[in-house]
């Protein structure tokens, strides 16, 4: 079985760094052969060497020139155009024969998540068998209102792709231990989250908070956030365990280091 993981999240949340570190960690495990695919045509430089790179097929500078676009328009057009090369990417994957595929998506999350190309890419590579890793910025998450914003953004991705989603608290080395623990608690205890939210807000905003929390409770998205630091190598094996459980339907992979 091949496990396919996508990495999504707002710009700068650490998608590419985690993709590289995690790929190398997976390849240190017995019997795993992981590859990293860069699907960001606008990436100027990457913190890892991708095994497959969409920039070999489409370059943002060429799109700017060919369609007479500025950098933002060219970024949108380039991401849309990536779907023309999905057969080539699949051919490259088949030649490498990995059993674990990591897909690094464009910096600006909306390019992958809210345009149709993202749906096509997911369908072509992993379909409903894929796992979506959604990275949350620690500075956004440390305020209760920011945390709720991040969760709702994550839910909008889940609504788009309809595949199992792992919520990741990224760059925890930038938080104190207490801050990390509090954020993790909010992800499982919505009453505590509501209390924290109400300490932050007054009046009408409290009514909105109550409604937002009620919706989270009704949706019953009780998955715990996974804390990760790519810089300090924290949480990488937990990510593998969690994704394996999701992808393989509960098989125990604890014998792997
Ligand atoms: N402190 C800390 N910094 C990190 C961590 N992971 C990534 N970074 C830094 O965060 C910045 C963005 O990291 P990237 O991995 O490029 O993030 P990204 O989400 O791929 O960014 P874009 O694709 O450009 O949107 C870089 O300066 C990284 O060195 C981490 O775990 N801790
Ligand atoms: Mg990136």
């Amino acid at each position: 079985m091949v496990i396919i993981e996508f990495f999504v999240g707002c710009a700068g949340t650490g998608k590419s760094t985690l993709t590289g570190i995690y790929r190398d960690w997976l390849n240190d495990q017995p019997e795993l052969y992981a590859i990293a695919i860069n699907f960001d045509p606008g990436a100027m430089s990457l913190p890892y060497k991708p095994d497959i790179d969409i920039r070999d097929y489409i370059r943002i500078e060429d799109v700017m020139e060919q369609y007479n676009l500025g950098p933002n328009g060219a970024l949108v057009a380039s991401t849309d155009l990536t779907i023309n090369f999905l057969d080539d990417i699949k051919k490259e994957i088949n030649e490498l024969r990995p059993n674990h595929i990591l897909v690094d998506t464009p910096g600006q999350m909306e390019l992958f998540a809210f345009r149709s190309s993202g749906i096509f890419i997911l369908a072509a590579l992993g379909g409903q068998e894929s796992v979506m890793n959604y990275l949350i910025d620690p500075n956004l998450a440390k305020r209760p209102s920011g945390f709720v914003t991040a969760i709702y953004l994550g839910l909008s991705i889940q609504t788009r792709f309809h595949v199992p989603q792992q919520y990741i608290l990224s760059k925890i080395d930038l938080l104190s231990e207490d801050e990390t623990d509090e954020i993790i608690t909010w992800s499982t205890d919505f009453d505590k989250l509501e209390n924290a939210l109400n300490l932050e807000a007054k009046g009408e905003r409290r009514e909105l908070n109550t409604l937002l929390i009620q919706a989270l409770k009704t949706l019953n998205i009780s998955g715990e956030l996974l804390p990760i630091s790519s810089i300090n190598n924290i949480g990488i094996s937990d990510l593998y365990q969690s994704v394996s459980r999701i992808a393989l339907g509960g098989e125990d992979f604890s014998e792997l280091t």
Side-chain angles (χ1 to χ4, degrees), residues 12 14-17 38 40 43 45-48 104-107:
K15 302 179 287 296
S16 299
T17 308
N38 170 47
D40 184 356
S45 68
L46 287 171
Y48 64 96
D104 184 16
T105 66

Side-chain angles (χ1 to χ4, degrees), residues 20-190:
I21 300 266
Y22 186 35
R23 190 257 322 257
D24 295 347
W25 183 90
L26 288 166
N27 283 331
D28 282 341
Q29 310 306 309
E31 298 183 12
L32 286 186
Y33 171 36
I35 61 164
I37 306 178
N38 170 47
F39 245 101
D40 184 356
M44 304 294 270
S45 68
L46 287 171
Y48 64 96
K49 190 175 177 312
D51 301 279
I52 299 174
D53 195 341
I54 194 66
R55 295 174 302 178
D56 291 341
Y57 299 94
I58 188 156
R59 297 202 66 91
I60 191 154
E61 300 83 1
D62 299 341
V63 173
M64 280 173 82
E65 205 177 295
Q66 191 178 344
Y67 298 94
N68 198 19
L69 292 167
N72 287 325
L75 207 49
V76 174
S78 305
T79 312
D80 288 351
L81 288 167
T82 56
I83 62 170
N84 295 334
F85 304 104
L86 289 174
D87 283 343
D88 299 283
I89 300 283
K90 279 193 334 197
K91 197 161 159 257
E92 283 201 67
I93 295 173
N94 288 337
E95 279 163 11
L96 291 170
R97 302 176 64 83
N99 54 22
H100 210 117
I101 301 171
L102 309 179
V103 184
D104 184 16
T105 66
Q108 284 89 342
M109 190 178 76
E110 67 270 28
L111 292 177
F112 179 75
F114 303 140
R115 297 186 67 82
S116 44
S117 51
I119 305 266
F120 284 119
I121 294 168
L122 182 112
L125 298 191
Q128 297 309 304
E129 307 297 315
S130 316
V131 176
M132 194 65 70
N133 291 311
Y134 167 61
L135 279 75
I136 297 177
D137 183 86
N139 284 314
L140 180 63
K142 71 183 178 189
R143 285 177 60 129
S145 54
F147 178 84
V148 172
T149 308
I151 296 297
Y152 271 92
L153 200 51
L155 283 171
S156 71
I157 294 171
Q158 240 170 312
T159 310
R160 275 291 275 171
F161 293 104
H162 285 290
V163 296
Q165 188 157 303
Q166 173 68 60
Y167 287 66
I168 292 172
L169 179 60
S170 187
K171 307 187 191 180
I172 57 155
D173 55 285
L174 299 178
L175 298 169
S176 70
E177 235 172 83
D178 284 351
E179 283 174 325
T180 302
D181 289 347
E182 188 175 38
I183 297 168
I184 302 300
T185 305
W186 292 339
S187 70
T188 52
D189 186 337
F190 293 140

Side-chain angles (χ1 to χ4, degrees), residues 190-209:
F190 293 140
D191 289 324
K192 285 204 174 133
L193 174 61
E194 187 171 7
N195 289 340
L197 261 180
N198 284 336
L199 285 175
E200 202 187 347
K202 295 190 185 74
E204 278 172 20
R205 277 179 62 192
R206 286 197 174 184
E207 281 172 43
L208 176 62
N209 291 345

